[in-house]
């Protein structure tokens, strides 16, 4: 018996494809109608009533956060409703969806909760409508109704009085009956009424936000209780932004959730919409976007115009405009609010009879409620009865009680809908349809021939020709030491002077975010494939040969330029200790600029041949040849000294820090001949664009942690040690860069920084010569480890590529005694030294940044690919990259249009399209089958974190100069030609075999 009961409760409703198209109701609604219905049914009480009520009694100014939290819950629920609307386009919303997909019991629970939601919604909006209209006439209607029906005077129980209105609201009952009659005469007629009033409502909302911002005062978010004259017994709480605490803000969010209830009305129109499977999802997403923006804006200006404790909980906006002396605005808002409340009430009443109709049709409630009027083709009985019942509740109950009852019912319904959605996550047919929709197999055939992957069995992962001697501490110090050099001691001053000004601190912060995301991706790869070669070997094993060669070739560029630029910075720093005597001597011996007639070429070359930079590269190359453990000991000692110097700089620099150096005005600076590039002064002297351009260059300051990933064959437990070392080292690096760049720009004006040795120069200028020498000598230790760290990974990438036959195999030879790739080490170190001797630092930094950003982008894309089943990998990578390139291209090349400086509107339209495409792509990726392979470390929040990393990296790449792209393209063309030629030869040999 029990089994039969369970079977009946879980019985599912079957609807054939033919039944989905058939309907007793009339299909007349379009996507625009549904969008207007979603907006109109929601954008009412939340804006015109609820914001003031919650601000006064629950959350204070933090009502803006209450709306934000409620919005998040609504968006998640909205996505679930949108999917159901596409699956089962029938009247009844979540009720019929759950009946078809799960069973009768869950369907009845959801349907009953929907009835609660819509009945309470109708009543509460009608009550708000009445209060608002009454406020226009000094609450005369309320006084008259109270004289006729003093409900509280008739009741002896204070508990009952708490939930009931103090009078019988005849107007609320009358407006509910009137709109019930309108809905009975046809859905299209009701829709036209709703469309017109919704547009008027939106215009009023925009008007309120604009004029309200003129009277907004931040002090109303900073009220102290002792400053308030509490003669009116105000409930001030603790004052400030959270006068009733975090708990009050969260309690307000539960109530504010009511402000988003209404969009699900769209989901009840499945049998009255022309193309429901397309129109319903679009309408839900678009309407929710408009709704959140309106609520957030209104609650912000409302609480900034007038103190939260003095808000009118029934009609806050008219009361506030009256209080600030704008009576005309009061009348415009009040009349406009009536339009908004009309559509909100219509939207609240619209879905209720359709849910009742659907449940009655299935026999779960009285069947007579399923009758459809033959002329108007509407469920007339259900419409009239539900509207009248909602009107009676509106006449009797207090608004606050209704809102809370509605919120809890809706939250339960949304929870059940989201739970039902879990049953559909493994729908293979859906995944295959989406895959075929977004990917074209014919365009991938050529790429498939280039993605031959390298197979490595578990034994090969362990075996190596190199010596395993490093532990997690060694790798952490290697990551810190290889990175914490030029970014602190050279680059901060250079970017502050020429690109970003004081906002260099934000440039470092943005670059840090991109590096952290990239660091997570590298950490996962280190756990997957613990082999020498870093991202090159990871991509070869996981993706294919062509992508692997691109990454490997890019890594060679990164590490070689890194070696050269750090060596150059090392030389400049040492020279600064001796008043640049070494520079003068070298310039006298080799005046390169005097030998070159072409100024364009001379711009990228050093004015002299830097013999010291070349020599230090050769010296450290020899040290690396003698063994990885010996090099690691040298690095560990110097890294600790480097960290001590950084702490010393931050502490003593903060003593002389002056915030006025972040507020410099150009007219206050003595600048004879305009020799100093001061820009516009302030914190952003070169604008936001300068700060972002600086971030692309500052990204170089974080390059180095990835060298940890090249130690897979020389680490004792690489699958554990590599992820730990990357995360810990990046944490230390960011704190150091942010601290040093802050004190540097606060100690001395940005326009007067020394781009070669800023810290010693600044300490000398402020009269702390002893600090200058401590920092300069300490910087040499830091630059030594940084140089060693940039030289360390290059020969290992060369070794790995040579071992696979993608470059000359002689580079894969390992010395029998020292167990190091000696030839690769000597050649790469010497090449880096030659570049250091010839090129200017700024040119080297930009070239290194673009190469590293590309490597990071490809690594993040590989993480996206490997997080899902491999059948999807080529399709995911292309669609994601194209969308992000489109977004970034518009942001960068149409900056004036996006910021409003230009009248062109098409870039904004394109930007919105590409953003939507990007979001859709990421959501599709998240719905693909997960890769179940277990790892010691996995990137969190896949696919969102790797997707953000890809977007940031592409953006920073596109912010670099055209000349940097040209130089990089030449390098890549050389590599691509070599790679394609190599692949062709291998393919030919295989064909002959």
């Amino acid at each position: 018996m029990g089994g039969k009961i369970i079977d009946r409760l879980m019985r599912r409703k079957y609807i054939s494809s033919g039944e989905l198209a058939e309907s007793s109701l009339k299909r007349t609604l379009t996507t625009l109608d549904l969008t207007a219905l979603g907006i109109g049914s929601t954008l009412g009480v939340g804006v015109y009533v609820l914001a003031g009520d919650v601000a006064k009694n629950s959350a204070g100014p933090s009502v803006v956060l209450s709306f934000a939290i409620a919005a998040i819950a609504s968006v998640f629920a909205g996505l679930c409703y949108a999917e159901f609307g596409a699956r089962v386009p029938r009247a009844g919303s979540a009720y019929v969806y759950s009946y078809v997909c799960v069973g009768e019991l869950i369907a009845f629970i959801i349907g009953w909760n929907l009835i609660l939601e819509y009945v309470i919604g109708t009543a509460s909006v009608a009550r708000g409508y009445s209060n608002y209209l009454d406020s226009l006439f000094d609450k005369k209607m309320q006084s008259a109704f109270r004289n006729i029906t003093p409900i509280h005077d008739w009741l002896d129980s204070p508990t009952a009085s708490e939930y009931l209105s103090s009078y019988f609201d005849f107007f609320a009952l009358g407006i509910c009956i009137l709109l019930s009659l309108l809905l009975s005469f046809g859905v299209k007629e009701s829709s036209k009424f709703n469309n017109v009033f919704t547009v008027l409502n939106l215009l009023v909302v925009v008007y309120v936000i604009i004029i309200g911002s003129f009277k907004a005062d931040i002090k109303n978010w900073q009220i102290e209780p002792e400053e308030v004259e509490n003669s009116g017994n105000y409930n001030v709480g603790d004052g400030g932004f959270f006068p009733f605490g975090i708990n009050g803000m969260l309690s307000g969010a539960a109530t504010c959730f009511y402000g988003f209830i209404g969009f699900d009305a769209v989901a009840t129109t499945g049998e009255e919409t022309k193309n429901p499977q397309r129109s319903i999802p679009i309408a839900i997403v678009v309407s929710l976007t408009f709704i959140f923006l309106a609520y957030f804006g209104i609650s912000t200006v409302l609480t900034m115009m007038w103190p939260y404790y003095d808000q009118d909980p029934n009609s806050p906006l008219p009361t506030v405009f009256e209080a600030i002396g704008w009576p005309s605005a009061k009348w415009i808002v009040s009349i406009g609010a009536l339009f908004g409340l009309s559509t909100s009430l219509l939207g609240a009443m619209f879905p209720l009879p359709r849910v009742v109709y659907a449940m009655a049709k299935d026999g779960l409630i009285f069947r007579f409620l399923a009758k459809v009027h033959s002329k108007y083709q509407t469920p007339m009985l259900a419409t009239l009865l539900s509207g009248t019942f909602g009107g009676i509740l509106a006449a009797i109950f207090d608004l606050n009680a209704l809102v809370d009852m509605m919120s809890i019912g809706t939250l339960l319904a949304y929870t059940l809908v989201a739970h039902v959605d879990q049953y559909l996550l493994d729908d293979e047919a859906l995944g295959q349809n989406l895959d075929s929709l977004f990917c074209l197999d014919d365009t991938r055939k050529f790429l498939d021939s280039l993605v031959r992957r390298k197979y490595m069995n578990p034994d090969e992962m362990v075996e190596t020709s190199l010596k395993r001697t490093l532990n997690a501490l060694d790798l952490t110090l290697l990551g810190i030491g290889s990175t914490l050099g030029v970014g602190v001691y050279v680059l901060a001053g250079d970017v502050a002077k020429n690109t970003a000004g004081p906002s260099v601190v934000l440039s470092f912060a943005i670059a840090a975010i991109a590096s952290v995301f990239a660091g997570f991706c590298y950490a996962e790869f280190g756990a997957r494939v613990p082999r020498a070669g870093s991202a090159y070997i990871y991509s070869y094993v996981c993706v294919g040969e062509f992508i692997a060669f691109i990454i490997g070739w890019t890594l060679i560029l990164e590490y070689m330029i890194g070696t050269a630029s750090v060596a150059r910075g090392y030389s400049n720093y040492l020279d600064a200790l001796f008043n640049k005597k070494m520079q003068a001597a070298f310039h006298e011996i080799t005046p390169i600029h005097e030998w070159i007639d072409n100024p364009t070429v001379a711009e990228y070359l050093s004015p002299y041949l830097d013999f010291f930079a070349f020599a230090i590269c050769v010296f450290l190359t020899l040290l690396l040849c003698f063994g990885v453990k010996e090099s690691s000991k040298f690095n560990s000692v110097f890294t600790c000294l480097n960290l001590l110097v950084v702490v010393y700089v931050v502490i003593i620099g903060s003593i002389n820090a002056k915030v006025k150096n972040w507020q410099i005005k150009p007219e206050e600076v003595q600048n004879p001949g305009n020799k100093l590039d001061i820009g516009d002064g302030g914190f952003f002297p070169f604008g936001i664009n300068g700060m972002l351009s600086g971030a692309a260059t500052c990204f170089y300051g974080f390059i180095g942690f990835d060298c940890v990933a090249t130690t897979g064959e020389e680490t004792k437990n690489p699958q554990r040690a590599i992820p730990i070392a990357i995360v810990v080292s990046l944490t230390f690096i960011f704190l150091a860069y942010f601290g040093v760049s802050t004190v540097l720009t606060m100690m001395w004006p940005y326009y007067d920084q020394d781009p070669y040795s800023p810290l010693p120069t600044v300490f000398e200028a402020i009269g702390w010569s002893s600090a200058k020498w401590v920092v300069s000598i300490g910087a040499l230790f830091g630059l030594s480890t940084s140089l060693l760290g940039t030289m360390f990974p290059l020969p290992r990438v060369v070794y790995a590529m040579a071992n696979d036959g993608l470059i000359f195999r002689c580079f894969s030879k390992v010395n029998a005694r020292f167990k190091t790739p000696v030839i690769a080490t000597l050649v790469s170190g010497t090449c880096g030294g030659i570049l250091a001797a010839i090129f200017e630092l700024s040119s080297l930094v930009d070239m290194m940044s673009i190469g590293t950003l590309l490597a990071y982008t490809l690594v993040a894309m590989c993480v996206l690919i490997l997080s899902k089943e491999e059948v999807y990998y080529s399709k995911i990578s292309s669609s994601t990259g194209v969308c992000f390139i489109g977004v970034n291209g518009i942001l960068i090349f149409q900056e004036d249009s996006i910021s409003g400086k230009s009248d062109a509107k098409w870039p904004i339209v394109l930007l919105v399209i590409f953003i939507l495409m990007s979001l859709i792509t990421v959501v599709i990726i998240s719905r693909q089958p997960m890769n179940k392979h277990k790892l010691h470390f996995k990137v969190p929040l896949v696919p969102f974190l790797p997707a953000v990393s890809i977007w940031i990296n592409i953006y920073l790449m596109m912010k670099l100069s055209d000349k940097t792209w040209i130089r990089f393209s030449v390098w890549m063309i050389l590599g691509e030609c070599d790679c394609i030629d190599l692949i062709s030869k291998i393919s030919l040999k295989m064909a002959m075999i």
Side-chain angles (χ1 to χ4, degrees):
M1 176 66 82
K4 291 182 179 179
I5 294 174
I6 296 295
D7 291 339
R8 175 166 182 172
L9 291 176
M10 301 307 294
R11 180 176 56 202
R12 296 168 62 182
K13 180 178 182 179
Y14 173 74
I15 301 178
S16 66
S17 57
E19 289 178 294
L20 287 176
E22 296 174 358
S23 174
S24 301
L25 306 179
K26 190 175 182 180
R27 294 191 181 277
T28 60
L29 300 179
T30 63
T31 304
L32 181 61
D33 294 328
L34 298 190
T35 303
L37 175 63
I39 296 173
S41 64
T42 310
L43 207 59
V45 173
V47 170
Y48 298 109
V49 178
L50 200 60
D53 183 25
V54 174
K56 181 181 178 70
N57 299 314
S58 301
S62 65
V63 64
V64 295
L65 297 184
S66 298
F67 272 114
I69 293 171
I72 293 172
S74 298
V75 166
F76 292 161
L79 294 175
C80 296
Y81 271 83
E83 177 174 336
F84 272 119
R87 285 181 179 274
V88 190
R90 303 288 291 178
S93 183
Y95 156 73
V96 75
Y97 305 158
S98 55
Y99 204 168
V100 171
C101 300
V102 183
E104 188 169 291
L105 176 63
I106 299 296
F108 181 82
I109 293 173
I110 290 181
W112 198 244
N113 275 281
L114 287 175
I115 291 175
L116 171 67
E117 169 192 343
Y118 296 134
V119 168
I120 299 298
T122 298
S124 57
V125 177
R127 188 77 185 195
Y129 196 122
S130 176
N131 289 336
Y132 232 98
L133 182 64
D134 199 24
S135 69
L136 300 180
F137 303 99
D138 298 323
K139 300 184 180 179
K140 293 179 180 179
M141 188 165 61
Q142 183 181 128
S143 300
F145 292 159
R146 184 177 285 112
N147 291 332
I148 300 172
T149 55
I151 295 178
H152 284 188
D153 295 342
W154 298 342
L155 299 173
D156 295 329
S157 172
T159 304
S161 300
E162 181 181 353
Y163 297 103
L164 296 178
S165 172
S166 58
Y167 58 91
F168 192 95
D169 196 330
F170 295 100
F171 179 83
L173 174 62
I175 193 69
C176 286
I177 294 175
L178 177 65
L179 289 181
S180 295
L181 293 173
L182 176 64
L183 287 169
S184 299
F185 293 146
V187 66
K188 191 62 180 178
E189 290 70 17
S190 306
S191 176
K192 291 177 181 178
F193 171 87
N194 177 78
N195 292 349
V196 173
F197 277 39
T198 297
V199 172
L200 294 172
N201 187 16
L202 287 173
L203 291 175
V204 171
V205 168
V206 173
Y207 172 79
V208 169
I209 294 174
I210 292 174
I211 67 168
S213 63
F214 291 124
K215 279 287 184 179
D217 191 342
I218 192 67
K219 72 178 183 181
N220 286 321
W221 282 11
Q222 302 167 344
I223 294 171
E224 297 294 335
E226 57 270 15
E227 298 174 356
V228 179
E229 296 180 4
N230 205 9
S231 58
N233 294 320
Y234 297 126
N235 184 13
V236 184
D238 298 327
F241 188 71
F242 296 97
F244 307 108
I246 300 296
N247 189 52
M249 183 267 290
L250 295 175
S251 298
T255 305
C256 285
F257 189 83
Y258 165 75
F260 292 87
I261 292 172
F263 73 85
D264 52 341
V266 175
T268 66
T269 63
E271 296 184 39
E272 295 163 291
T273 304
K274 293 179 180 178
N275 186 1
Q277 290 173 309
R278 175 181 177 274
S279 297
I280 291 176
I282 293 175
I284 288 176
V285 173
V286 175
S287 61
L288 273 175
T289 302
F290 276 92
I291 292 160
F292 168 68
L293 294 176
Y295 288 163
F296 190 86
I298 290 288
S299 60
T300 299
V301 298
L302 180 66
T303 53
M304 292 185 79
M305 281 195 296
W306 200 251
Y308 63 90
Y309 56 82
D310 199 25
Q311 297 284 345
D312 185 339
N314 295 319
S315 54
L317 285 171
T319 304
V320 167
F321 281 121
E322 179 74 21
I324 65 177
W326 286 2
S328 58
K330 165 193 170 180
W331 285 97
I332 293 174
V333 170
S334 297
I335 295 172
L338 294 179
F339 292 124
L341 289 169
S342 297
T343 60
S344 186
L345 180 57
L346 184 69
M349 296 179 66
F350 182 90
L352 176 56
R354 281 143 187 86
V355 175
V356 172
Y357 159 79
M359 295 183 71
K361 194 175 181 181
D362 292 329
L364 297 187
I365 56 176
F366 301 111
R367 283 191 179 274
F368 71 86
L369 295 173
K371 291 184 178 180
V372 176
H373 193 276
S374 57
K375 179 180 179 181
Y376 301 112
Q377 292 186 296
T378 58
M380 184 168 285
L381 282 176
T383 301
L384 291 174
L385 286 176
S386 59
T388 303
F389 186 64
I392 293 172
L393 290 181
I396 295 175
F397 282 94
D398 186 68
L399 176 62
N400 291 332
L402 297 177
V403 169
D404 288 339
M405 285 181 65
M406 182 178 179
S407 291
I408 193 171
T410 309
L411 285 167
L412 180 58
Y414 287 2
T415 302
L416 292 172
V417 170
H419 181 69
V420 169
D421 194 48
Q422 295 180 27
Y423 289 84
L424 310 174
L425 291 177
D426 58 352
D427 189 344
E428 295 181 1
L430 177 63
Q432 293 173 359
N433 291 335
L434 291 174
D435 181 61
S436 61
L437 175 64
F438 284 90
C439 305
L440 299 173
D441 292 335
D442 292 340
T443 62
R444 304 294 190 268
K445 289 182 179 179
F446 174 71
L447 292 179
D448 289 341
S449 67
L450 300 177
V451 292
R452 179 172 56 243
R453 296 164 60 185
K454 180 177 182 177
Y455 173 74
M456 298 183 71
N457 59 44
D459 293 334
E460 288 182 289
M461 293 285 191
V462 178
E463 296 176 355
T464 177
S465 301
L466 306 179
K467 190 176 181 181
R468 293 191 182 275
T469 60
L470 303 178
N471 55 36
L473 179 60
D474 294 327
L475 297 190
T476 301
L477 292 173
L478 176 62
I480 296 173
S482 62
T483 310
L484 205 59
V486 173
V488 170
Y489 299 110
V490 178
L491 199 61
D494 184 22
V495 174
K497 180 181 177 69
N498 299 315
T499 310
S503 65
V504 65
V505 296
L506 297 183
S507 297
F508 272 115
I510 293 172
I513 293 172
S515 297
V516 167
F517 291 165
F520 280 135
C521 298
Y522 269 83
E524 176 173 326
F525 269 119
R528 284 184 182 274
V529 191
R531 300 289 292 177
S534 182
Y536 158 74
I537 192 68
Y538 305 158
S539 56
Y540 203 170
V541 171
C542 302
V543 183
E545 188 172 284
F546 185 70
I547 298 298
F549 183 85
I550 292 176
I551 292 181
W553 196 246
T554 303
L555 287 175
I556 291 175
L557 172 68
E558 170 193 341
Y559 295 133
M560 190 173 294
I561 298 298
T563 298
S565 57
V566 177
R568 188 77 185 193
Y570 196 123
S571 176
N572 289 333
Y573 234 97
L574 183 64
D575 199 24
L577 299 180
F578 303 100
N579 297 321
K580 301 184 179 180
K581 293 181 180 179
M582 188 165 62
Q583 181 182 131
F586 292 158
H587 193 277
E588 184 178 349
I589 299 171
T590 55
I592 295 179
H593 284 188
E594 295 178 8
W595 298 343
I596 298 175
D597 296 330
N598 191 331
T600 304
V601 176
E603 179 184 350
Y604 302 106
L605 298 179
S606 170
Y608 58 89
L609 194 62
D610 195 329
F611 296 102
F612 180 83
F614 176 77
I616 193 68
C617 287
V618 174
F619 171 75
L620 290 180
T621 297
L622 295 174
L623 178 62
L624 287 169
C625 289
F626 292 145
V628 65
K629 191 61 180 178
E630 290 72 15
S631 307
S632 177
K633 291 177 181 178
F634 171 86
N635 175 78
S636 299
V637 173
F638 276 37
T639 296
C640 292
L641 293 172
N642 187 18
L643 288 172
L644 290 175
V645 171
V646 169
V647 173
Y648 173 79
V649 167
V650 174
I651 292 175
I652 67 169
S654 61
I655 296 173
N656 205 57
K658 298 176 183 178
V659 74
K660 70 178 184 179
N661 286 322
W662 282 9
Q663 301 169 342
I664 294 171
K665 296 181 180 179
E667 59 270 15
E668 297 176 355
V669 179
Q670 295 182 1
N671 189 14
N674 292 324
K675 294 181 179 180
L676 298 175
D677 188 6
I678 303 172
D680 298 327
F683 188 73
F684 295 97
F686 306 107
I688 300 297
N689 190 51
M691 183 266 290
L692 294 174
S693 297
T697 304
C698 285
F699 189 84
Y700 164 74
F702 292 86
I703 292 172
F705 74 85
D706 53 331
C707 76
V708 174
T710 66
T711 63
E713 296 184 40
E714 295 163 290
T715 304
K716 293 178 181 178
N717 186 3
Q719 290 175 311
R720 176 180 177 274
I722 290 177
I724 292 174
I726 289 176
V727 173
V728 174
S729 61
L730 274 175
T731 303
F732 277 89
I733 292 159
F734 168 67
L735 294 175
Y737 287 162
F738 191 85
V740 169
S741 60
T742 299
V743 298
L744 179 66
T745 52
M746 293 186 79
M747 282 193 296
W748 200 252
Y750 64 91
Y751 58 80
D752 202 24
Q753 297 282 345
D754 187 333
Y756 298 107
S757 53
L759 285 171
T761 304
V762 167
F763 281 123
E764 179 74 21
I766 64 176
W768 290 2
S769 57
S770 58
K772 165 193 172 181
W773 285 96
V774 172
V775 171
S776 296
I777 295 172
L780 294 179
F781 293 124
L783 289 170
S784 297
T785 59
S786 184
L787 180 55
L788 183 70
T790 55
M791 295 180 68
F792 182 90
L794 177 54
R796 280 144 186 86
V797 175
V798 173
Y799 158 80
M801 295 183 71
N803 208 26
D804 293 328
L806 296 185
I807 56 176
F808 301 111
R809 284 194 178 273
C810 62
F811 292 126
S812 65
K813 291 183 178 181
V814 176
N815 184 273
R817 179 183 175 186
F818 300 115
K819 299 291 184 180
T820 58
V822 172
I823 296 178
T825 304
L826 289 173
V827 172
S828 59
T830 303
C831 290
I834 293 172
L835 290 178
I838 295 174
F839 284 96
E840 187 63 39
L841 176 62
S842 59
S843 300
L844 297 177
V845 168
D846 284 346
M847 283 188 69
M848 183 177 178
S849 292
I850 195 172
T852 308
L853 285 166
L854 179 59
Y856 288 1
T857 301
L858 293 175
V859 169
M861 199 169 288
C862 290
V863 169
L864 271 183
I865 294 167
L866 293 173
S867 66
K868 307 298 176 182
E869 293 295 339
E870 59 186 66
V871 69
Y872 298 100
Y873 74 87
S874 65
K875 304 160 188 177
I876 294 171
S877 60
S878 60
S879 57
T880 305
V882 169
C883 291
F884 288 146
I885 289 172
V887 171
N888 290 324
I890 296 171
L891 286 175
I892 293 171
F893 300 115
Q894 294 295 327
E895 183 180 355
D896 290 343
S897 299
I898 301 301
S899 61
K901 296 179 181 178
S902 172
D903 296 332
K905 302 300 181 184
W906 65 266
I908 299 176
V909 175
L910 276 181
L911 178 63
V912 172
I913 292 173
F914 276 116
I915 289 175
L916 291 175
M917 289 173 61
S918 302
L919 293 174
I920 291 170
T921 303
V922 174
V923 170
I924 290 173
I925 293 172
S926 68
R927 299 300 302 274
Q928 305 305 320
M930 290 293 296
N931 190 326
K932 305 298 183 182
H933 184 63
K934 293 185 178 180
L935 298 173
H936 286 75
F937 178 86
K938 278 191 174 183
V939 176
L941 300 176
V942 175
F944 302 102
L945 192 148
V948 172
S949 179
I950 293 170
W951 175 73
I952 292 174
N953 293 332
I954 292 176
Y955 182 83
L956 291 175
M957 277 194 291
M958 297 179 75
K959 290 294 291 183
L960 292 170
S961 66
D962 297 340
K963 295 175 182 178
T964 301
W965 273 97
I966 293 172
R967 293 193 296 271
F968 178 75
S969 299
V970 172
W971 173 261
M972 292 306 299
I973 289 171
L974 291 174
E976 298 300 330
C977 292
D978 179 59
C979 178
I980 293 173
D981 180 62
L982 178 63
I983 293 174
S984 300
K985 290 179 180 178
I986 293 174
S987 301
L988 180 60
K989 290 181 179 179
M990 293 179 65
M992 293 175 64
I993 293 173

